[in-house]
Amino acid sequence: MKLARKLTLALVMGVLVIMAGYAWLQIRREVVIFDAELWKNEKFGHGAAAALAEIWAAEGEAKARQMLETIDRYGPGVIRLRWLWLDELRAEPPPGLSADDLEQLAGRNAVALRETAGGEWVRHIYDPMSIPTARPAVIEVTESLQAERRYINMNHLQIALATALIAAMCALTAMGLGYWFVGRPMVLLRDKARAVGAGHFGARLALRQHDELGEFAEELNAMSDRLAEAQARLGAETEARIATLEQLRHTDRLTTVGRLAAGIAHELGTPLNVIAGRAGRIAAAEGGRGQSADYARIILEQATRMTAVIRQLLDFSRRQGPKPGLCNLRTLASRTIDLLAPFAEKQGVTIELKSPEGLLPVRVDPSQIQQAFANVVMNGIQAMPRGGRLLVSIEPAEARRPSDASAQTGPYLRVSVEDQGKGISAEALPHIFEPFFTTKDVGEGTGLGLSVAHGIVTDHGGWIDVESEPGKGTRVAIFLASAEPGTAEAAS
C-alpha cells in the first residue's frame, strides 16, 4: 500500500502541476484580453478629448460641455466623462495623481492610473485639452473595472474547483487502481516472501495479472517449488546419512557382540559337551528308568538346548561372506518350508506358499539365504503359540534401497512372511534386528534369529522391511535383487 500511495501522490502532483500551468496560461490570456479592452476604452477617451477640443475651438466652451454631457449620457455604461480645469487639478489634485502626473498633463500627455474607491476598482484616464488663448482643460475618463475583476475571480475559482475535482478523481482512481494492481499484489508477494523465508514452500501465489508483477509471482512460485524439492531431497539425504551412521554404529556393536559371543561359546562349548556326555551315560546306565534317569535326560535336553544357542552365537560371530550362485527363489522358499513343516505342524501352524509360476532367478548363496528364510519363518511360527496360518508369498517388485534416497528403483523379488500373531509394539519395532533382543518369553528365544537374517540379507545387497500392528500380526518382507532375465534358464 505504501507504493500505491506514493504513485497516487506522484499522479496528483503531476495533475496539479499541469492544472497550474493551464491556469497560468488561462490567466495570461484573460489579462491580454482585458488589456486590449482597456486600450479600446483609452482610445475612446483620447478620441472624445480630441473631438471636444475641436468643438470647443469652433463653437465655444458651452457647446463642448454640452457635447461632453451627451457623450457621457449615451456612451458605454462603465465609462464616465468629466470636464476638469488643469489649474484646479494643480490646486487640489485627486488621490493617486502625483506631481509628475500633473507635469505630464501640463505637457499635453495623457495620464492613466488605477485606484480602489469604496471597495470598487476603477481606472482614471486624464486627457489634456487646450486651445490657444483658452484656459487649459482636462477630460477625465473614469472606467469601472469591477466587472472584469469579478470575471477574473470567477474564472480563478472555476479553475481551482476544476483542479481540485480532477485531482480528487485522479487520486481516487489511482488509489483504487494502485491498490488492485500494485498494493494488493505487493502485499501477497510480501507474505509469500515471508513464508518462503520461514521455510514454508507449499502455498502457491495466484496473481491473475499479465504484467511484471504476475511474472514475478510465477518466478516466485517456481523458486518455491525448487526450494521445496531441494528441501525434500536434503531431508531424504539427511535421513539416509543418519540411517547409514546408525547402521555403522549397529555394525560396530555387532562386531563387539560377535567377539564376546565367540569367547563365551568357546569357553562353554567343551564343558557343555562333557555335561551332555555324562548325562547320556547316566541315563543309559540306569536303563532309562528311575528318577536318576529322568534327571539325566533333563540335563541332556538342557545341555543340548544350550549347545544350540552356542551354535547360533558361533554362526552370528563367524558368518562367512556369501558365495553367490544363480538360484530359483521359489525352490529355496519351498525347501525351507518343507524343513520347518514338522515343527509348524506341532505348533498347530499351517504354512502356505504363494508364488508366481515359473523361475524366479536370484544370484545368492543358497545355504545362507535358506538360513535367513528359516529364521524368519521360525519367528513367525513362534509368534502363534495357539496355531494359525503363516503366509509366505513371493512377488516381483520395483523398489529402491531405503538407505540410499538418491538411488533409482530397480527390479527386486520380495519374499513376505505374514503371521497372525500378537504383533510387535511400536516401541520394540526399531530394535528387532539388534542381537539378543527378543519379545518372546524367557527360554523361548535367543534374540539372534532376525539379527542373523538381517546380516545375511544385507550381505546379499538386499534389505528387510517389517510392518506390525499389535493384535493383528507381523509382516516381514525380504528384498533380493532379481537376476538377469536372460539367465533364468540356469536357475535351479
Side-chain angles (χ1 to χ4, degrees):
M1 290 302 294
K2 294 180 180 178
L3 181 59
R5 286 196 294 268
K6 290 179 180 180
L7 293 175
T8 300
L9 181 60
L11 179 61
V12 171
M13 292 300 296
V15 169
L16 290 177
V17 170
I18 293 174
M19 292 303 296
Y22 170 76
W24 183 81
L25 292 175
Q26 187 72 10
I27 291 172
R28 289 295 303 167
R29 175 176 173 274
E30 293 171 358
V31 167
V32 170
I33 295 174
F34 183 51
D35 288 344
E37 192 68 25
L38 292 179
W39 172 245
K40 291 179 182 179
N41 295 336
E42 187 174 345
K43 290 181 68 176
F44 170 77
H46 294 331
L52 290 173
E54 291 181 2
I55 293 173
W56 186 9
E59 301 182 17
E61 179 183 345
K63 187 64 175 179
R65 283 179 175 272
Q66 183 181 1
M67 182 59 68
L68 177 66
E69 291 175 0
T70 302
I71 295 173
D72 181 59
R73 183 182 304 117
Y74 297 105
V78 295
I79 298 177
R80 291 290 179 266
L81 302 178
R82 191 171 59 150
W83 187 294
L84 300 174
W85 298 108
L86 183 58
D87 53 359
E88 291 179 357
L89 286 176
R90 286 180 179 275
E92 295 181 8
L97 195 62
S98 64
D100 292 338
D101 295 334
L102 292 173
E103 290 298 328
Q104 290 290 332
L105 291 175
R108 295 186 177 183
N109 294 317
V111 174
L113 57 90
R114 298 180 184 183
E115 64 174 354
T116 304
E120 183 178 357
W121 283 83
V122 294
R123 183 183 187 218
H124 299 287
I125 302 172
Y126 297 95
D127 279 315
M129 182 180 61
S130 64
I131 60 175
T133 70
R135 183 181 178 186
V138 175
I139 300 300
E140 181 189 47
V141 181
T142 302
E143 178 184 6
S144 176
L145 304 179
Q146 195 65 19
E148 286 81 357
R149 185 169 183 81
R150 282 197 301 268
Y151 173 76
I152 292 175
N153 290 339
M154 184 63 69
N155 203 3
H156 290 177
L157 181 60
Q158 290 177 352
I159 292 175
L161 289 176
T163 302
L165 289 175
I166 292 175
M169 289 299 297
C170 290
L172 291 176
T173 304
M175 282 293 291
L177 295 178
Y179 168 76
W180 187 255
F181 291 108
V182 179
R184 183 185 61 88
M186 290 303 296
V187 169
L188 295 176
L189 289 171
R190 180 201 64 192
D191 294 342
K192 177 63 176 178
R194 288 178 178 176
V196 171
H200 305 299
F201 310 115
R204 293 184 62 81
L205 181 59
L207 281 184
R208 298 179 181 179
Q209 294 183 208
H210 302 288
D211 53 16
E212 288 79 2
L213 291 178
E215 293 176 359
F216 181 56
E218 291 298 327
E219 291 298 326
L220 194 59
N221 286 330
M223 182 189 71
S224 298
D225 294 339
R226 291 193 294 269
L227 288 175
E229 293 175 1
Q231 186 184 48
R233 187 166 55 252
L234 180 61
E237 292 176 354
T238 302
E239 291 180 359
R241 291 191 184 96
I242 294 174
T244 302
L245 290 175
E246 187 63 30
Q247 188 175 6
L248 290 175
R249 295 191 187 99
H250 180 68
T251 302
D252 187 54
R253 289 194 298 267
L254 291 182
T255 302
T256 303
V257 171
R259 291 174 181 173
L260 178 62
I264 294 175
H266 178 72
E267 295 295 330
L268 295 180
T270 301
L272 282 175
N273 289 332
V274 173
I275 292 173
R278 297 294 182 182
R281 288 186 179 184
I282 292 173
E286 296 291 333
R289 298 178 182 179
Q291 189 175 23
S292 297
D294 293 338
Y295 290 160
R297 279 193 294 273
I298 292 173
I299 293 173
L300 179 60
E301 289 176 359
Q302 296 303 316
T304 303
R305 178 175 175 275
M306 293 178 66
T307 302
V309 172
I310 291 174
R311 187 177 298 108
Q312 283 188 330
L313 286 173
L314 290 174
D315 291 340
F316 175 76
S317 62
R318 297 177 180 176
R319 189 173 67 248
Q320 301 293 326
K323 297 178 180 179
L326 200 59
C327 303
N328 186 352
L329 196 60
R330 177 186 174 89
T331 301
L332 292 179
S334 180
R335 289 175 183 173
T336 304
I337 292 173
D338 293 341
L339 182 66
L340 296 176
F343 178 74
E345 184 178 353
K346 182 179 179 181
Q347 294 291 111
V349 175
T350 302
I351 304 178
E352 179 182 342
L353 177 62
K354 185 178 180 181
S355 172
E357 295 296 333
L359 298 176
L360 300 174
V362 290
R363 193 171 294 279
V364 296
D365 186 325
S367 60
Q368 290 191 7
I369 291 298
Q370 191 168 344
Q371 181 183 357
F373 286 172
N375 290 352
V376 174
V377 172
M378 182 66 74
N379 270 8
I381 295 172
Q382 292 176 345
M384 295 182 288
R386 299 181 180 178
R389 185 176 74 99
L390 186 71
L391 176 61
V392 180
S393 60
I394 307 175
E395 58 184 347
E398 288 290 326
R400 178 176 58 192
R401 184 183 299 276
S403 60
D404 190 358
S406 60
Q408 295 182 351
T409 59
Y412 285 84
L413 291 177
R414 179 173 57 203
V415 181
S416 299
V417 179
E418 187 172 355
D419 63 54
Q420 298 174 336
K422 62 181 180 179
I424 305 173
S425 66
E427 294 78 12
L429 197 59
H431 306 286
I432 59 175
F433 295 126
E434 295 179 2
F436 307 108
F437 179 84
T438 180
T439 58
K440 302 185 183 83
D441 295 333
V442 177
E444 293 187 5
T446 61
L448 290 174
L450 284 181
S451 297
V452 172
H454 181 269
I456 291 173
V457 173
T458 302
D459 290 344
H460 284 77
W463 68 92
I464 300 178
D465 281 344
V466 180
E467 298 176 2
S468 184
E469 186 175 351
K472 293 187 177 181
T474 303
R475 179 175 176 271
V476 180
I478 300 174
F479 289 84
L480 295 171
S482 178
E484 293 293 333
T487 61
E489 293 77 2
S492 60

